[in-house]
Amino acid sequence: MNKIVSLMMSVIVLTFSGMRSTQAQGLLNFNPQSRKSIPTAQATQSTQPSEASALIDLQPPSKPAPISYQDSETQDNDRLVAVAPDELFEGGSDSLVAKAVGSAEGTRTPDGGKTWAYVGHVDPGNGRWNMGSFSYQHGATSPDDADRRQLNRLRGQYEVIRQSALSAGLRLGLEEQLNAIDLANQAPLAALERGGYVDRLRQAYDQGLQGSEAVLQARTYSYLNPRTNQWDAPGLGNNFYSIRRDQARRQNAIYEAIQNHQQIARSRKLRDQNDIKVSRAGE
């Protein structure tokens, strides 16, 4: 009798263990921040083959969903000027990188303020604790510590992107720079690997696209895995429209952060100039 009871209990435990494993796998497959990974069977099935295109052929569907993004003809000229890496990362949590990427992540406001999510929040995809401007989830002691760790990581990744751009004959302006860094934070493989951001940006330029439109296409198609020719963003729906919509949202947030950063810089410059004039007048 005891043996029968023990056997029944074992079956029950194994059943519930299987249920937990299935649920855990579901959480692994769902990733709202779309940190790129090898496509799962579920992800591949949800991909629309007609929307995918080869590495050398990146024409989007003929009727894309309405997307709100800044037209290249209305760009601020400062967005076209490249900024030195030291300047991009200067200031740590108050750097332009932290403000721009944090704005895209929802942890910072475009003017650099910190939202409730900056202090810490649970990642809905994997249940891990996110901290700081970059939603860092790899073991930080505080939001400031999280920012320091991720800024160091992004600095190295940006150098890889910069070298790739030089090799491809591309000159990255400020908008291209910050979107590359944000993509590295969101999905490192999409930003760094072959068929990623730099390759897609070059192809967008070859197609005659410019400015924000080229950046948006590069960000979108960086999620197309060149080895499988399948969309590789299960957390973003694995289709052209939902991926493009998410990338446009992040791109707009970065644009607003750039505007605020440059406005503050202009105000400081003007204030310094006025201080100099007052000082000279008093001599």
Side-chain angles (χ1 to χ4, degrees), residues 21 42 46 58 61 63 79 126 160 168 186 198 209 213 267 270 283:
S21 298
Q42 178 183 356
S46 66
L58 300 180
K63 295 181 179 181
R79 294 170 67 197
N126 57 25
V160 174
Q186 184 186 25
V198 172
L209 300 178
E213 191 174 14
S267 298
L270 182 60
E283 292 178 354

Side-chain angles (χ1 to χ4, degrees), residues 50-260:
S50 62
E51 294 173 356
S53 56
L55 181 62
I56 59 175
D57 181 17
L58 300 180
Q59 293 297 332
S62 57
K63 295 181 179 181
I67 297 294
S68 172
Y69 63 93
Q70 299 296 327
D71 188 87
S72 59
E73 296 180 358
T74 63
Q75 293 185 97
D76 188 318
N77 289 335
D78 289 339
R79 294 170 67 197
L80 306 177
V81 179
V83 174
D86 286 345
E87 185 176 345
L88 284 173
F89 289 88
E90 182 182 8
S93 292
D94 291 325
S95 65
L96 177 55
V97 166
K99 293 176 182 177
V101 177
S103 185
E105 283 285 331
T107 58
R108 306 288 292 270
T109 58
D111 61 359
K114 299 172 181 176
T115 70
W116 65 269
Y118 173 85
V119 178
H121 61 281
V122 175
D123 189 305
N126 57 25
R128 299 182 69 175
W129 188 248
N130 292 340
M131 299 179 72
S133 301
F134 306 97
S135 297
Y136 187 80
Q137 55 178 233
H138 305 292
T141 58
S142 67
D144 286 340
D145 181 47
D147 281 2
R148 284 193 296 271
R149 290 170 182 262
Q150 186 66 354
L151 281 166
N152 288 334
R153 178 169 175 268
L154 289 174
R155 179 66 183 266
Q157 290 177 333
Y158 174 68
E159 183 59 26
V160 174
I161 294 169
R162 189 181 72 85
Q163 291 296 335
S164 297
L166 288 174
S167 299
L170 297 182
R171 178 180 178 276
L172 303 180
L174 179 58
E175 183 176 20
E176 290 88 348
Q177 289 175 304
L178 288 174
N179 276 275
I181 294 170
D182 177 61
L183 186 60
N185 186 75
Q186 184 186 25
L189 293 180
L192 301 171
E193 74 169 5
R194 174 185 172 274
Y197 181 77
V198 172
D199 288 335
R200 303 301 184 177
L201 190 60
R202 174 182 56 78
Q203 291 160 0
Y205 291 150
D206 289 345
Q207 292 175 6
L209 300 178
Q210 297 179 352
S212 298
E213 191 174 14
V215 171
L216 179 56
Q217 175 152 314
R219 290 196 62 144
T220 301
Y221 278 96
S222 67
Y223 284 95
L224 190 66
N225 191 318
R227 293 183 296 276
T228 64
N229 206 35
Q230 300 288 333
W231 294 109
D232 193 0
L236 299 178
N238 264 353
N239 68 79
F240 173 84
Y241 303 111
S242 61
I243 294 171
R244 179 179 168 95
R245 187 175 297 110
D246 176 75
Q247 298 305 292
R249 177 193 62 78
R250 297 184 75 101
Q251 184 179 354
N252 281 336
I254 291 170
Y255 171 73
E256 292 180 11
I258 291 175
Q259 284 189 313
N260 277 274

Side-chain angles (χ1 to χ4, degrees), residues 10-26:
S10 298
V11 171
I12 294 173
V13 170
L14 288 173
T15 301
F16 279 97
S17 297
M19 292 175 61
R20 287 196 295 269
S21 298
T22 302
Q23 292 170 348
Q25 185 62 43

